[in-house]
Amino acid sequence: MSENMETLLNRIKLGEDSTLEFKNVDFYRDTVSAPRRDAMSDELAAMANTRGGTLIIGVDDKTHAVTGVPLERLDTVEEWVRSIANDIVAPPLDCVIRKMSVGGDDGKSRHIIKIDVPKSLFVHRSGNGYFTRIGSSKREMQPEVLARLFQQRSQTRLVCFDEQIVTGAQLPDMDKGLIGRFRTALSPEDDVEFLTKLKLADYNEDGAIHPTVSGILLCCEKPEKFLHSAFIQAVCYLGDSGNSEQLDMQDITGPLDIQIKDACKFVKRNMRVAAVKDPARTEFPQYSLSAVFEAVVNAVAHRDYSIYGSKIRLRMFSDRLELCSPGTVPNTMTLESMPLRQFSRNELVSSLLARTPMNFDMLDTRRKFMMDKRGDGVPVIYTESIAVSGKKPLYELIDDSELKLTVFAGVPGFGT
């Protein structure tokens, strides 16, 4: 028996506490009949709203006996839990659900389902309202407590969200090769010291170390596993509207520098290039790839990663390219001032991208790193795009929650 299993069984014997909850399940035909879905959602959300915790299905909360879940019902219960976390808890809750076999008091092995609920960066509403956990029970939050929690967690998200830890991730989820890109001759030799100094990882209030949001975005092969909306959804349409035929589509995932590279490749393979031979061959692409590159870099660096369920959307039409990024501009900036001023919602992400080597050579640029800290991105987008199409790119705010950039397609022969 592993040490972790021994620890789990010892905790079960001691009973429920502020981070441990037991549930038995009943069935009616092929579905779970008890506990009720709303009540289960209250338990999960209460843990996420407090300090996180573990809920075990298949243990009696009064006797602490391991009653188990029938083997043939495990998949049913797992799907039941997952649907509650996704469909009833708002915003949806990211739980780790494990099926396990443990020994009961009678020596017989029984199956349980262990649900690990991390402390969330959000405030979650469940089927019956907003709950927190006090001791071994949940309590509905009073208005003043709820307001204070909203304030605390919104400050956590908005002030330095990219420095916050991702409690569902562990250091082994970060790739050593990706981490190594940021090492210098002056970097500490100790990995943990290096990661914490660079804010790629940090400690929680219990002293456990986890990757930060920036660490996951830059140093994890699959950031979308932990930050579900951290990817680019790219679609190319035949016509000038979203109702026209889709010619190409791709969910662009991976570390941010890979997303930038693959988004530029998506545009390159789908844009039209006209050619004129007079007398030498001259090509007229629909878009400047330098402008596209700067636009994508700005989108991944400055989007609001705290907005749950919103990804970057790249859409190509016959006459334009649209890039929609979650989040609005800061209060001190306007759409008109963007070409003239710098801003960075994610200072840590931006600084790391400025240290990330260029990973592809499809642009006419001498840049060595993915991001230029001088703030020339928006001016380059304007200048390069106007040179290709004669039209100024357009920035718009959509419902005060999304920044949309429209780059107009070039006309063959323009400027000759």
Side-chain angles (χ1 to χ4, degrees):
M1 181 183 296
S2 69
E3 182 180 358
N4 287 339
M5 185 64 71
E6 290 178 355
T7 301
L8 177 63
L9 289 175
N10 286 333
R11 290 192 66 193
I12 290 175
K13 290 178 181 178
L14 292 174
E16 296 178 335
D17 56 32
S18 60
T19 61
L20 186 63
E21 175 78 12
F22 303 146
K23 292 291 180 188
N24 271 323
V25 287
D26 297 325
F27 299 91
Y28 177 72
R29 295 181 178 175
D30 294 329
T31 61
V32 176
S33 59
R36 290 172 38 248
R37 286 167 60 88
D38 280 0
M40 186 68 173
S41 73
D42 295 341
E43 300 288 358
L44 295 173
M47 285 186 171
N49 288 337
T50 315
R51 295 186 62 180
T54 299
L55 192 151
I56 301 177
I57 296 178
V59 175
D60 188 278
D61 62 340
K62 295 182 175 60
T63 65
H64 311 163
V66 179
T67 55
V69 177
L71 177 63
E72 66 275 11
R73 302 280 195 178
L74 284 174
D75 289 342
T76 299
V77 176
E78 180 188 12
E79 180 56 34
W80 176 75
V81 173
R82 201 174 301 281
S83 68
I84 291 172
N86 289 333
D87 301 336
I88 299 181
V89 180
L93 192 57
D94 188 15
C95 302
V96 179
I97 305 173
R98 296 185 178 93
K99 304 169 187 175
M100 306 176 69
S101 294
V102 299
D105 293 336
D106 56 3
K108 294 182 179 180
S109 180
R110 291 182 173 85
H111 308 291
I112 63 171
I113 291 183
K114 180 172 176 279
I115 308 162
D116 291 316
V117 182
K119 177 183 177 181
S120 181
L121 293 172
F122 300 88
V123 182
H124 295 270
R125 186 185 72 251
S126 53
N128 294 305
Y130 290 93
F131 289 84
T132 188
R133 194 166 176 86
I134 300 176
S136 60
S137 62
K138 64 182 183 299
R139 293 287 186 273
E140 187 170 8
M141 283 188 273
Q142 297 300 310
E144 64 273 13
V145 176
L146 180 60
R148 185 164 61 249
L149 184 60
F150 266 114
Q151 182 182 35
Q152 290 170 348
R153 298 206 174 173
S154 69
Q155 287 175 346
T156 297
R157 293 199 304 272
L158 297 178
V159 173
C160 51
F161 183 84
D162 58 340
E163 297 181 17
Q164 300 305 307
I165 63 172
V166 180
T167 54
Q170 306 296 328
L171 294 193
D173 293 313
M174 302 170 73
D175 182 86
K176 288 187 176 182
L178 296 175
I179 293 171
R181 298 178 299 176
F182 304 111
R183 281 193 173 275
T184 68
L186 299 178
S187 298
E189 292 185 6
D190 181 75
D191 288 339
V192 172
E193 182 183 359
F194 167 70
L195 291 172
T196 54
K197 281 193 173 182
L198 209 57
K199 297 183 180 179
L200 292 169
D202 205 353
Y203 294 93
N204 65 14
E205 62 267 31
D206 296 322
I209 189 167
H210 296 273
T212 62
V213 170
S214 294
I216 291 296
L217 291 174
L218 272 301
C219 300
C220 178
E221 290 284 359
K222 296 181 179 180
E224 68 279 1
K225 177 180 177 182
F226 305 101
L227 303 169
H228 300 309
S229 303
F231 68 97
I232 302 173
Q233 184 184 73
V235 184
C236 177
Y237 296 94
L238 175 63
D240 61 1
S241 76
N243 295 323
S244 58
E245 179 185 350
Q246 293 184 6
L247 300 177
D248 192 6
M249 65 182 301
Q250 179 183 355
D251 283 348
I252 300 172
T253 60
L256 294 188
D257 57 315
I258 300 298
Q259 292 187 33
I260 294 168
K261 176 185 70 173
D262 289 348
C264 290
K265 287 187 173 181
F266 182 90
V267 173
K268 184 178 182 180
R269 74 169 178 260
N270 284 294
M271 74 175 179
R272 295 190 296 272
V273 179
V276 176
K277 192 172 182 180
D278 186 26
R281 176 184 172 89
T282 304
E283 294 186 344
F284 300 96
Q286 279 188 303
Y287 306 103
S288 160
L289 286 178
S290 293
V292 171
F293 172 79
E294 297 292 350
V296 176
V297 169
N298 281 351
V300 302
H302 303 310
R303 65 157 286 184
D304 191 341
Y305 287 96
S306 73
I307 299 178
Y308 190 93
S310 296
K311 63 266 185 187
I312 295 173
R313 294 180 295 127
L314 170 63
R315 299 184 293 181
M316 296 180 67
F317 300 96
S318 57
D319 61 346
R320 69 194 186 281
L321 179 153
E322 294 179 354
L323 190 63
C324 300
S325 179
T328 184
V329 294
N331 293 333
T332 58
M333 180 173 285
T334 64
L335 295 178
E336 292 75 18
S337 67
M338 285 181 61
L340 307 174
R341 296 178 54 193
Q342 275 187 280
F343 82 95
S344 178
R345 175 176 282 109
N346 306 301
E347 287 286 352
L348 182 53
V349 168
S350 297
S351 65
L352 291 170
L353 282 174
R355 297 175 58 174
T356 304
M358 285 289 293
N359 57 9
F360 63 109
D361 185 22
M362 57 179 275
L363 303 170
D364 183 17
T365 178
R366 296 180 180 178
R367 180 177 295 184
K368 294 182 179 180
F369 300 99
M370 298 299 293
M371 192 165 188
D372 186 346
K373 293 289 284 183
R374 295 177 300 176
D376 291 338
V378 175
V380 169
I381 295 170
Y382 274 61
T383 303
E384 293 282 336
S385 299
I386 292 172
V388 170
S389 68
K391 295 182 179 180
K392 183 179 179 181
L394 177 65
Y395 279 100
E396 302 172 89
L397 279 179
I398 309 299
D399 296 330
D400 287 329
S401 63
E402 188 176 57
L403 183 63
K404 175 181 173 182
L405 168 64
T406 301
V407 179
F408 299 98
V411 178
F414 175 81
T416 60

